[in-house]
Amino acid sequence: MLNKLFETNDEPIETNQDFWSWFVKNEKTFFKVVKERGDFEKKFFSKLSPKLAELRAGYFFLTGMVNDNTAELVFTADGAIANFVFVEELVASAPKLDGWIFTALKPALDIENVNIIMAGYEFNKENLSFYYAEDSEYPDEINLSIVNDNFNEQNRDIVTNGTYIFLDNYLGELNFASTIDNLEVIGKDKVQKELIPIEKLKDFLIWREKEFVEKYIGIKHHTENDSHNMLEGTLENGNPLLALVNSDLLKWDSKASHPWILCIEVKYSADENGLPDKKNYQLLNDLEDKILLSLKDSEGYLNIGRETAEGIREIFFACKDFRKPSKLMSEIKKSSALEIAYKIYKDKYWQSFNRFIQN
């Protein structure tokens, strides 16, 4: 009787196809909830969330009616670059269902349709504007100051967060995460240049991105003959920090052509100095060789180097795109006996590696 009481007909969700098969079985119930604005939390969200979590951590979603007969389900990675490709693939594998539109990542919205209300503040085209800064040392970076009329030091966190949410919806999740290099939210009292209406931001970013892509199209760097430096430092506890870096790459004048940084963190059993023993050293090298077989310099993935200390090895790549590294590291993490974490972030001029450049 207990077996009967707790048994479920749901199959485990291990692939995108598993998820969509499950969704198809429930889509009529979900559609009814969305159309009638029913109990979203109980009858839709609480059912969809655990199924997505079975498939992969870091999936989020939004839903609503596009018109009287069509519901839209938007899958989002909430700005996490490493998950963008998986959201895109999930939606690409979706079946065609009458009454449903499935969208990967929050789409860009018309400025007239973006009005965020949060903690008593409104965020819209009436109280937002921007200007940009140019830096001769980093000419390809897009550095924006977003001016919010309501900003002050007391509401800094709330107004900054609301402004980010506005931009995420106005520009779209992918564009917001991938086109802007540095962003600050300020009040009118801090303005240093002529203000530009926020509705012109999309055109500005399209122009700058087009200029950037044209400048670096076809740029490659082959690393087989590059020089490498071994660097050694000492931590506060006296243990060594060892780094091996491609010194020629760090001097390269076309860094911005590979703007995405993949940082892989691998934990190992350390000796009294925080370094790997012979067995772990080999495991770490084997892992790095495996990654290098897939992330080739000729395809736009440059191995900058590695750093080893205190039971952790970090491996660094500069990449032309973020999708292939995301998929590769997800698979390696699942299959490896080593404890692996990774992140992907944008750093056009590899400033996060300035610590390795010797004056």
Side-chain angles (χ1 to χ4, degrees):
M1 288 181 63
L2 286 174
N3 287 340
K4 289 288 185 183
L5 182 63
F6 291 109
E7 73 178 4
T8 175
N9 291 325
D10 283 347
E11 297 293 328
I13 306 296
E14 297 177 346
T15 66
N16 289 344
Q17 187 56 52
D18 292 339
F19 171 79
W20 287 117
S21 296
W22 170 84
F23 187 90
V24 167
K25 294 175 184 176
N26 296 276
E27 61 92 7
K28 288 184 170 54
T29 300
F30 294 157
F31 181 85
K32 188 172 186 292
V33 173
V34 179
K35 183 176 176 62
E36 297 178 0
R37 300 185 66 84
D39 190 341
F40 282 85
E41 182 59 39
K42 182 178 180 181
K43 295 184 178 180
F44 192 1
F45 295 170
S46 66
K47 296 181 182 297
L48 186 61
S49 292
K51 292 300 178 183
L52 282 173
E54 278 186 60
L55 187 58
R56 185 176 189 83
Y59 283 154
F60 304 89
F61 56 90
L62 309 165
T63 191
M65 296 299 294
V66 176
N67 54 48
D68 289 343
N69 301 307
T70 307
E72 183 176 25
L73 183 56
V74 179
F75 295 90
T76 165
D78 199 29
I81 294 290
N83 274 341
F84 278 19
V85 65
F86 301 105
V87 172
E88 292 170 339
E89 290 185 342
L90 176 63
V91 171
S93 66
K96 292 188 181 301
L97 283 177
D98 289 341
W100 285 97
I101 295 173
F102 303 110
T103 302
L105 307 174
K106 284 179 276 187
L109 299 176
D110 186 275
I111 191 73
E112 302 297 335
N113 297 326
V114 189
N115 187 60
I116 306 297
I117 300 176
M118 179 178 164
Y121 296 97
E122 287 193 46
F123 303 84
N124 52 46
K125 70 174 186 176
E126 305 303 326
N127 53 34
L128 291 168
S129 51
F130 78 99
Y131 64 89
Y132 61 94
E134 296 175 316
D135 188 332
S136 59
E137 191 173 355
Y138 307 115
D140 296 302
E141 281 193 342
I142 298 177
N143 303 310
L144 298 182
S145 295
I146 306 295
V147 182
N148 189 305
D149 293 351
N150 298 315
F151 182 96
N152 57 54
E153 289 304 315
Q154 288 69 46
N155 64 20
R156 169 186 290 274
D157 292 344
I158 292 172
V159 171
T160 297
N161 192 30
T163 302
Y164 272 65
I165 293 172
F166 172 90
L167 293 171
D168 197 35
N169 284 275
Y170 173 46
L171 300 176
E173 187 173 1
L174 178 60
N175 285 335
F176 181 45
S178 62
T179 57
I180 300 172
D181 295 293
N182 298 295
L183 175 66
E184 65 171 351
V185 180
I186 61 173
K188 296 177 76 172
D189 59 323
K190 301 292 185 183
V191 171
Q192 298 180 1
K193 297 179 68 174
E194 183 178 351
L195 295 180
I196 305 169
I198 198 69
E199 54 261 45
K200 295 184 180 294
L201 180 56
K202 282 183 183 176
D203 290 338
F204 168 76
L205 292 175
I206 290 170
W207 165 62
R208 286 300 306 271
E209 188 71 5
K210 182 174 183 289
E211 187 180 59
F212 171 76
V213 170
E214 289 177 349
K215 182 175 179 179
Y216 290 107
I217 190 167
I219 295 290
K220 293 182 180 181
H221 182 95
H222 297 285
T223 59
E224 62 267 22
N225 296 318
D226 281 356
S227 300
H228 292 74
N229 284 346
M230 176 67 79
L231 308 175
E232 183 171 351
T234 303
L235 303 173
E236 288 185 4
N237 62 6
N239 282 347
L241 182 150
L242 305 178
L244 178 68
V245 296
N246 185 324
S247 52
D248 285 348
L249 260 184
L250 293 180
K251 298 173 187 173
W252 193 33
D253 60 3
S254 295
K255 291 186 178 76
S257 63
H258 292 63
W260 297 101
I261 304 300
L262 168 64
C263 177
I264 305 158
E265 181 182 281
V266 189
K267 292 185 178 180
Y268 58 85
S269 296
D271 62 18
E272 65 277 8
N273 295 313
L275 300 176
D277 59 21
K278 186 175 180 181
K279 177 184 176 183
N280 279 288
Y281 187 81
Q282 188 60 51
L283 287 173
L284 292 169
N285 284 349
D286 289 345
L287 171 65
E288 191 166 343
D289 289 343
K290 183 176 182 179
I291 297 169
L292 284 165
L293 282 174
S294 294
L295 299 184
K296 300 176 181 178
D297 56 6
S298 60
E299 296 174 3
Y301 308 100
L302 304 176
N303 182 208
I304 294 174
R306 63 176 185 244
E307 184 176 278
T308 308
E310 296 293 86
I312 294 175
R313 170 168 288 182
E314 291 184 291
I315 306 168
F316 310 109
F317 282 83
C319 310
K320 270 191 174 293
D321 83 289
F322 56 82
R323 290 177 175 84
K324 184 174 181 177
S326 299
K327 294 182 66 175
L328 173 69
M329 291 314 305
S330 178
E331 289 302 315
I332 287 178
K333 182 178 178 179
K334 280 191 278 188
S335 61
S336 178
L338 292 164
E339 186 177 346
I340 299 173
Y342 63 95
K343 60 183 176 181
I344 297 174
Y345 60 92
K346 194 176 185 186
D347 182 3
K348 272 182 183 166
Y349 288 92
W350 309 359
Q351 294 177 67
S352 47
F353 303 113
N354 285 348
R355 66 189 188 275
F356 295 132
I357 297 176
Q358 296 175 305
N359 295 323

PDB file of all heavy atoms in Angstrom, residues 45 53 84 119 122 157 225 238 252 256 341 351:
ATOM      1  N   PHE A  45       4.125  27.140 -11.396  1.00  0.00           N
ATOM      2  CA  PHE A  45       5.509  27.341 -10.989  1.00  0.00           C
ATOM      3  C   PHE A  45       6.044  26.200 -10.133  1.00  0.00           C
ATOM      4  O   PHE A  45       7.167  25.737 -10.327  1.00  0.00           O
ATOM      5  CB  PHE A  45       5.657  28.657 -10.233  1.00  0.00           C
ATOM      6  CG  PHE A  45       5.378  29.881 -11.061  1.00  0.00           C
ATOM      7  CD1 PHE A  45       5.260  31.124 -10.472  1.00  0.00           C
ATOM      8  CD2 PHE A  45       5.231  29.796 -12.443  1.00  0.00           C
ATOM      9  CE1 PHE A  45       5.001  32.255 -11.234  1.00  0.00           C
ATOM     10  CE2 PHE A  45       4.972  30.912 -13.211  1.00  0.00           C
ATOM     11  CZ  PHE A  45       4.848  32.149 -12.598  1.00  0.00           C
ATOM     12  N   ALA A  53      14.920  22.059 -12.575  1.00  0.00           N
ATOM     13  CA  ALA A  53      16.071  21.842 -11.691  1.00  0.00           C
ATOM     14  C   ALA A  53      16.652  20.446 -11.875  1.00  0.00           C
ATOM     15  O   ALA A  53      17.861  20.250 -11.742  1.00  0.00           O
ATOM     16  CB  ALA A  53      15.660  22.056 -10.236  1.00  0.00           C
ATOM     17  N   PHE A  84      23.785  30.407 -20.690  1.00  0.00           N
ATOM     18  CA  PHE A  84      23.037  30.904 -21.850  1.00  0.00           C
ATOM     19  C   PHE A  84      22.855  29.832 -22.914  1.00  0.00           C
ATOM     20  O   PHE A  84      21.770  29.659 -23.462  1.00  0.00           O
ATOM     21  CB  PHE A  84      23.760  32.115 -22.462  1.00  0.00           C
ATOM     22  CG  PHE A  84      23.473  33.418 -21.764  1.00  0.00           C
ATOM     23  CD1 PHE A  84      22.968  33.460 -20.481  1.00  0.00           C
ATOM     24  CD2 PHE A  84      23.727  34.618 -22.406  1.00  0.00           C
ATOM     25  CE1 PHE A  84      22.716  34.659 -19.832  1.00  0.00           C
ATOM     26  CE2 PHE A  84      23.480  35.836 -21.769  1.00  0.00           C
ATOM     27  CZ  PHE A  84      22.976  35.847 -20.487  1.00  0.00           C
ATOM     28  N   ALA A 119       9.916  48.833  -5.177  1.00  0.00           N
ATOM     29  CA  ALA A 119      10.131  49.500  -3.883  1.00  0.00           C
ATOM     30  C   ALA A 119       9.694  50.963  -3.909  1.00  0.00           C
ATOM     31  O   ALA A 119      10.336  51.839  -3.312  1.00  0.00           O
ATOM     32  CB  ALA A 119      11.599  49.389  -3.477  1.00  0.00           C
ATOM     33  N   GLU A 122       9.779  54.145  -9.870  1.00  0.00           N
ATOM     34  CA  GLU A 122       9.532  53.757 -11.250  1.00  0.00           C
ATOM     35  C   GLU A 122      10.820  53.908 -12.052  1.00  0.00           C
ATOM     36  O   GLU A 122      11.638  54.789 -11.790  1.00  0.00           O
ATOM     37  CB  GLU A 122       8.439  54.630 -11.873  1.00  0.00           C
ATOM     38  CG  GLU A 122       7.046  54.313 -11.363  1.00  0.00           C
ATOM     39  CD  GLU A 122       5.965  54.954 -12.221  1.00  0.00           C
ATOM     40  OE1 GLU A 122       6.065  54.863 -13.462  1.00  0.00           O
ATOM     41  OE2 GLU A 122       5.053  55.557 -11.645  1.00  0.00           O
ATOM     42  N   ASP A 157      21.321  51.132  -3.457  1.00  0.00           N
ATOM     43  CA  ASP A 157      21.170  49.708  -3.797  1.00  0.00           C
ATOM     44  C   ASP A 157      19.860  49.435  -4.521  1.00  0.00           C
ATOM     45  O   ASP A 157      19.826  48.719  -5.525  1.00  0.00           O
ATOM     46  CB  ASP A 157      21.262  48.853  -2.533  1.00  0.00           C
ATOM     47  CG  ASP A 157      22.658  48.855  -1.930  1.00  0.00           C
ATOM     48  OD1 ASP A 157      23.601  49.253  -2.633  1.00  0.00           O
ATOM     49  OD2 ASP A 157      22.809  48.475  -0.761  1.00  0.00           O
ATOM     50  N   ASN A 225      54.490  28.460 -30.739  1.00  0.00           N
ATOM     51  CA  ASN A 225      55.863  28.967 -30.585  1.00  0.00           C
ATOM     52  C   ASN A 225      55.975  30.082 -29.542  1.00  0.00           C
ATOM     53  O   ASN A 225      57.003  30.754 -29.464  1.00  0.00           O
ATOM     54  CB  ASN A 225      56.376  29.486 -31.941  1.00  0.00           C
ATOM     55  CG  ASN A 225      56.481  28.379 -32.969  1.00  0.00           C
ATOM     56  OD1 ASN A 225      56.938  27.277 -32.660  1.00  0.00           O
ATOM     57  ND2 ASN A 225      56.044  28.655 -34.189  1.00  0.00           N
ATOM     58  N   GLY A 238      53.214  31.800   4.166  1.00  0.00           N
ATOM     59  CA  GLY A 238      54.531  31.290   3.806  1.00  0.00           C
ATOM     60  C   GLY A 238      54.530  30.263   2.701  1.00  0.00           C
ATOM     61  O   GLY A 238      55.595  29.894   2.179  1.00  0.00           O
ATOM     62  N   TRP A 252      50.199  40.656 -26.334  1.00  0.00           N
ATOM     63  CA  TRP A 252      49.490  40.724 -27.606  1.00  0.00           C
ATOM     64  C   TRP A 252      48.659  42.009 -27.695  1.00  0.00           C
ATOM     65  O   TRP A 252      48.004  42.406 -26.726  1.00  0.00           O
ATOM     66  CB  TRP A 252      48.597  39.493 -27.734  1.00  0.00           C
ATOM     67  CG  TRP A 252      48.027  39.231 -29.081  1.00  0.00           C
ATOM     68  CD1 TRP A 252      48.591  39.497 -30.283  1.00  0.00           C
ATOM     69  CD2 TRP A 252      46.759  38.612 -29.365  1.00  0.00           C
ATOM     70  NE1 TRP A 252      47.775  39.076 -31.308  1.00  0.00           N
ATOM     71  CE2 TRP A 252      46.643  38.533 -30.768  1.00  0.00           C
ATOM     72  CE3 TRP A 252      45.730  38.118 -28.570  1.00  0.00           C
ATOM     73  CZ2 TRP A 252      45.522  37.988 -31.401  1.00  0.00           C
ATOM     74  CZ3 TRP A 252      44.622  37.556 -29.190  1.00  0.00           C
ATOM     75  CH2 TRP A 252      44.519  37.495 -30.590  1.00  0.00           C
ATOM     76  N   ALA A 256      41.403  42.192 -27.362  1.00  0.00           N
ATOM     77  CA  ALA A 256      39.953  42.404 -27.410  1.00  0.00           C
ATOM     78  C   ALA A 256      39.244  41.485 -28.402  1.00  0.00           C
ATOM     79  O   ALA A 256      38.019  41.329 -28.341  1.00  0.00           O
ATOM     80  CB  ALA A 256      39.650  43.860 -27.748  1.00  0.00           C
ATOM     81  N   ALA A 341      35.032  23.651 -10.641  1.00  0.00           N
ATOM     82  CA  ALA A 341      34.091  24.757 -10.786  1.00  0.00           C
ATOM     83  C   ALA A 341      34.623  25.652 -11.903  1.00  0.00           C
ATOM     84  O   ALA A 341      35.824  25.655 -12.192  1.00  0.00           O
ATOM     85  CB  ALA A 341      33.947  25.536  -9.493  1.00  0.00           C
ATOM     86  N   GLN A 351      42.250  42.454 -18.236  1.00  0.00           N
ATOM     87  CA  GLN A 351      42.793  43.205 -17.104  1.00  0.00           C
ATOM     88  C   GLN A 351      42.912  42.359 -15.841  1.00  0.00           C
ATOM     89  O   GLN A 351      43.710  42.669 -14.952  1.00  0.00           O
ATOM     90  CB  GLN A 351      41.924  44.436 -16.837  1.00  0.00           C
ATOM     91  CG  GLN A 351      41.974  45.446 -17.984  1.00  0.00           C
ATOM     92  CD  GLN A 351      41.075  46.630 -17.766  1.00  0.00           C
ATOM     93  OE1 GLN A 351      41.301  47.434 -16.864  1.00  0.00           O
ATOM     94  NE2 GLN A 351      40.035  46.754 -18.579  1.00  0.00           N
TER      95      GLN A 351
END
